[in-house]
């Protein structure tokens, strides 16, 4: 588990470095992600005195993903198809790293409960809200790029966003059960491995008008 955590940390740092090259100095997502991850930590522990140093890496990683998406939503991407595709792809890579770190944490602490990959119901609630925001960002991005889908990379971006929305909705459903929050309040033991190995076979019904 320790070795896997080191690998995940390395790939997270590498991904951040690539994103900084992609986005340039236009976006300070690093500071934004620190603030968001700190708010996540405070909501978990109900402790307003905690600092960034107290925040677990898994929270920092998923906060980074949110900040990447929120930052890209605010950009004019109509002429930056390659940048958009690369950024969304790397953001998805970071999300996978973050979820893997949640799983590593549970395995390391030998936690076996109905909270799945989360160590508590409150942590599951944080993930639930995280997925909900990601769904919103992907929806906004799709609305932006669908108008300029004559570019192949834009088409690929729309396809990737559709697949990610399916993944995030699945994540929201699972964490809703684990944290007993939102519309998914049924407490149920879940097979955590399905969360990582499930392959998206089709887009959601609201993506039927995709150009692909």
């Amino acid at each position: 588990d320790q070795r896997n955590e080191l690998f995940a940390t390395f790939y997270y740092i590498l991904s951040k470095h690539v994103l900084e090259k992609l986005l340039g100095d236009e976006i300070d997502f690093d500071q934004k992600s620190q603030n968001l991850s700190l708010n996540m930590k405070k909501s978990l522990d109900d402790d307003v005195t905690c600092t960034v140093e107290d925040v677990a890496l898994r929270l920092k990683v998923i906060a980074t993903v949110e900040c990447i998406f929120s930052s890209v939503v605010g950009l004019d991407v109509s002429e930056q198809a390659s940048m958009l595709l690369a950024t969304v792809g790397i953001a998805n890579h970071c999300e996978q790293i973050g979820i893997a770190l949640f799983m590593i944490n549970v395995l390391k602490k030998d936690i076996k409960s109905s909270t799945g990959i989360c160590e508590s119901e409150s942590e599951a609630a944080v993930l639930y809200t995280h997925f909900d925001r990601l769904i919103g960002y992907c929806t906004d991005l799709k609305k932006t790029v669908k108008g300029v889908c004559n570019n192949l990379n834009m088409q690929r971006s729309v396809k990737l966003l559709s697949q990610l929305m399916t993944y995030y909705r699945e994540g929201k459903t699972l964490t809703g059960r684990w944290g007993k929050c939102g519309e998914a309040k049924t407490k149920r033991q879940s097979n955590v491995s399905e969360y990582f190995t499930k392959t998206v076979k089709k887009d959601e019904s609201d993506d039927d008008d995709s150009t692909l």
Side-chain angles (χ1 to χ4, degrees), residues 3-212:
R3 186 176 64 177
N4 290 336
E5 189 170 7
L6 288 173
F7 280 137
T9 303
F10 168 75
Y11 284 117
Y12 168 59
I13 295 172
L14 180 61
S15 298
K16 280 184 63 178
H17 178 71
V18 174
L19 283 166
E20 288 168 0
K21 294 293 184 182
L22 271 173
L23 300 175
D25 298 326
E26 299 179 33
I27 301 172
D28 184 14
F29 67 85
D30 195 47
Q31 185 60 50
K32 290 171 62 178
S33 64
Q34 284 188 17
N35 294 337
L36 179 57
S37 63
L38 186 57
N39 289 334
M40 289 177 176
K41 173 66 175 177
K42 289 177 179 178
S43 69
L44 279 176
D45 299 340
D46 195 23
D47 180 10
V48 296
T49 64
C50 64
T51 64
V52 174
E53 287 71 27
D54 301 319
V55 180
L57 181 61
R58 60 188 182 279
L59 295 178
K60 292 180 181 179
V61 176
I62 65 170
T64 297
V65 176
E66 282 194 46
C67 291
I68 293 168
F69 272 109
S70 66
S71 299
V72 175
V73 166
L75 295 178
D76 179 10
V77 296
S78 58
E79 302 296 329
Q80 304 181 73
S82 298
M83 182 276 288
L84 176 63
L85 180 60
T87 302
V88 173
I90 295 171
N92 176 48
H93 182 64
C94 285
E95 178 70 12
Q96 298 291 333
I97 293 171
I99 296 302
L101 287 170
F102 273 88
M103 187 176 186
I104 290 170
N105 175 64
V106 169
L107 292 173
K108 187 165 58 177
K109 295 182 179 179
D110 197 26
I111 298 173
K112 297 177 181 178
S113 71
S114 59
T115 55
I117 62 170
C118 304
E119 64 177 38
S120 65
E121 289 182 359
S122 59
E123 190 170 87
V126 167
L127 261 186
Y128 175 89
T129 305
H130 165 71
F131 284 123
D132 189 53
R133 286 194 289 257
L134 289 184
I135 292 168
Y137 291 138
C138 287
T139 301
D140 291 342
L141 265 178
K142 282 189 66 178
K143 289 177 182 177
T144 301
V145 302
K146 271 191 173 182
V148 286
C149 273
N150 56 324
N151 183 288
L152 181 58
N153 281 334
M154 280 298 185
Q155 294 176 14
R156 289 170 174 164
S157 296
V158 171
K159 183 68 174 179
L160 178 56
L161 287 168
S162 297
Q163 292 174 336
L164 292 182
M165 286 174 69
T166 302
Y167 170 77
Y168 297 151
R169 285 176 180 136
E170 176 68 12
K172 182 180 174 182
T173 298
L174 288 176
T175 51
R177 290 168 183 160
W178 297 336
K180 296 187 290 186
C181 53
E183 62 268 20
K185 296 181 179 179
T186 305
K187 189 173 183 180
R188 180 177 69 87
Q189 181 66 39
S190 300
N191 183 349
V192 178
S193 64
E194 291 179 0
Y195 189 85
F196 300 96
T197 58
K198 181 176 179 180
T199 302
V200 176
K201 298 295 185 182
K202 59 181 179 178
D203 297 334
E204 292 295 313
S205 57
D206 61 352
D207 297 320
D208 289 343
D209 58 344
S210 171
T211 58
L212 296 180

